[in-house]
Amino acid sequence: MPEERDEPVALSVVIPMYNEEEALPALVSRVRPVLDGLGVAHEVIAVDDGSGDRTAELLAAFRLGWPELRIISLRRNSGHQAALTAGLDRSAGAYVVSLDADLQDPPEKIPEMLALARAEGLDIVYGVRADRSSDTGFKRWTAGLYYRLMRRLAGPSVLAQAGDFRLLSRAAVDALKALPDQQRVYRLLVPWLGFPSGQVTYERAPRTAGRTKYPLGRMIRLAVDSVTGFSAAPLRLATWLGAGAFVVCLGLLVYTLTAFALGRTVPGWTSLFTGLVFIGAVQLICVGLLGEYVGRIYTAVQNRPTYFVRNDTSAPEAETPADKPRVPAPRG
Ligand code: UDP
Ligand code: MG
């Protein structure tokens, strides 16, 4: 929150960033004019998700000339959704917009989102990607698959092309904060709230600079969290697999008995081995599925925080002496 002003913050813009030193200058030069032009009290919350590059240094330098910039630095890399949680948890605005740091989502759409929410009294305004042609074919294919699956599991209120560019009202943010969910996937949780919503379409631009921070492993993690967070259907899949295996085994039993009756018992090795492998596989799948849910229950019971804040420029009292932010002189 900008300390200079006494007016309540009308808009918070939360930007999680992980190793975004290359994208940061362009980000600042596009976000700042948009927000200054709005003419409302605002804060820009840069959540530094444990970056190992010069992101922290650059942020500190930008803040010297931009009092609305608030920096929340996390102690370690916690992931995009956890970084978003940190930003939402501490945001002060009556409305909160979340934005990626790589300018794939245009900040110029923020005024439109805010105007729409205010005019129609909406709690949620989704940024919906009209055009993804800037993404790679693989990204589009996996994203298409992901959204189809999510709409089946979490319901049609999950918009197919809505990522993490969206506006939330204070009421929506407070509702999200009150949820007990640990591994949060906001693009599913927000539609689940079911609050009055609208949408603004935009064209997804290519990443301005740097490389994606979502390698395949993280994409799979997001998909697993999404599915297990919203549906017990995979557990029923285990039951169906088990039933299928049982039927196959009955068939095998008939075959074995026939072979036995015909006195051809020796060449039974292949069928025996196939059956063994098949049943083994089915059992492993089922145990794996159970493990996925038991894992979630375990995490929920532990109730560990998903992020740790090292410093928040708006709440510096949280600092410990060892964590004095290293603020370098701004570069020429
Ligand atoms: N991000 C983050 N922590 C991470 C990974 C990503 O805060 O561990 C941020 C990243 O800096 C960016 C946003 O999340 O602002 C989306 O990541 P990215 O653009 O790399 O994902 P993609 O657009 O390729 O799906
Ligand atoms: Mg991106």
Side-chain angles (χ1 to χ4, degrees):
M1 204 186 310
E3 298 85 342
E4 295 79 4
R5 309 196 194 205
D6 291 316
E7 334 163 36
V9 180
L11 179 71
S12 303
V13 178
V14 175
I15 314 178
M17 46 189 82
Y18 177 52
N19 293 345
E20 297 285 7
E21 61 178 6
E22 286 154 290
L24 209 50
L27 177 74
V28 172
S29 67
R30 277 191 48 199
V31 169
R32 190 163 183 188
V34 171
L35 296 182
D36 286 346
L38 266 177
V40 298
H42 59 269
E43 61 174 357
V44 174
I45 305 181
V47 184
D48 175 10
D49 187 11
S51 299
D53 65 355
R54 290 174 57 238
T55 300
E57 196 182 320
L58 289 177
L59 280 174
F62 279 122
R63 189 177 136 75
L64 294 178
W66 190 13
E68 281 86 9
L69 180 64
R70 170 177 176 187
I71 308 165
I72 297 182
S73 32
L74 304 187
R75 283 175 190 273
R76 60 162 156 82
N77 181 237
S78 311
H80 181 199
Q81 303 294 305
L84 207 53
T85 307
L88 291 177
D89 282 353
R90 289 170 171 246
S91 65
Y95 289 96
V96 183
V97 169
S98 50
L99 184 74
D100 279 0
D102 59 1
L103 290 173
Q104 287 198 276
D105 314 319
E108 292 76 17
K109 284 279 172 184
I110 294 175
E112 196 182 324
M113 289 173 142
L114 186 63
L116 182 67
R118 282 179 160 171
E120 301 189 9
L122 302 175
D123 282 302
I124 305 164
V125 177
Y126 297 103
V128 176
R129 299 180 262 230
D131 174 23
R132 268 192 101 118
S133 53
S134 61
D135 279 330
T136 61
F138 177 71
K139 183 93 188 183
R140 286 213 300 273
W141 181 72
T142 49
L145 212 64
Y146 173 82
Y147 284 110
R148 269 207 300 283
L149 181 65
M150 288 316 128
R151 285 167 71 86
R152 283 197 73 138
L153 294 180
S157 57
V158 176
L159 297 171
Q161 293 301 339
D164 281 308
F165 181 37
R166 71 176 86 75
L167 173 141
L168 298 168
S169 67
R170 180 49 37 198
V173 173
D174 288 343
L176 288 171
K177 280 165 74 172
L179 293 179
D181 296 53
Q182 292 265 311
Q183 288 106 336
R184 295 169 170 231
V185 181
Y186 282 105
R187 61 192 72 177
L188 301 181
L189 278 180
V190 172
W192 175 86
L193 287 177
F195 289 7
S197 68
Q199 38 179 292
V200 160
T201 52
Y202 68 99
E203 291 194 0
R204 182 116 165 126
R207 197 172 228 289
T208 60
R211 273 182 299 122
T212 177
K213 308 302 181 301
Y214 261 95
L216 186 62
R218 273 180 195 251
M219 273 160 63
I220 293 175
R221 193 64 244 168
L222 183 77
V224 170
D225 283 345
S226 302
V227 172
T228 52
F230 267 84
S231 167
L235 285 175
R236 286 197 290 279
L237 180 80
T239 318
W240 286 113
L241 277 176
F246 180 69
V247 172
V248 173
C249 290
L250 280 184
L252 279 175
L253 187 71
V254 172
Y255 171 75
T256 318
L257 290 178
T258 322
F260 178 73
L262 297 177
R264 283 192 282 149
T265 45
V266 182
W269 182 81
T270 312
S271 54
L272 198 69
F273 192 70
T274 315
L276 202 72
V277 169
F278 180 69
I279 292 171
V282 167
Q283 279 177 341
L284 283 180
I285 291 174
C286 298
V287 172
L289 286 175
L290 279 176
E292 202 54 56
Y293 285 91
V294 172
R296 281 188 81 88
I297 296 169
Y298 183 56
T299 327
V301 169
Q302 283 177 321
N303 200 22
R304 288 186 184 152
T306 52
Y307 64 85
F308 296 94
V309 173
R310 179 182 15 232
N311 188 41
D312 178 347
T313 51
S314 278
E317 75 282 359
E319 276 174 56
T320 56
D323 294 323
K324 279 271 180 280
R326 295 165 298 256
V327 182
R331 304 202 161 214

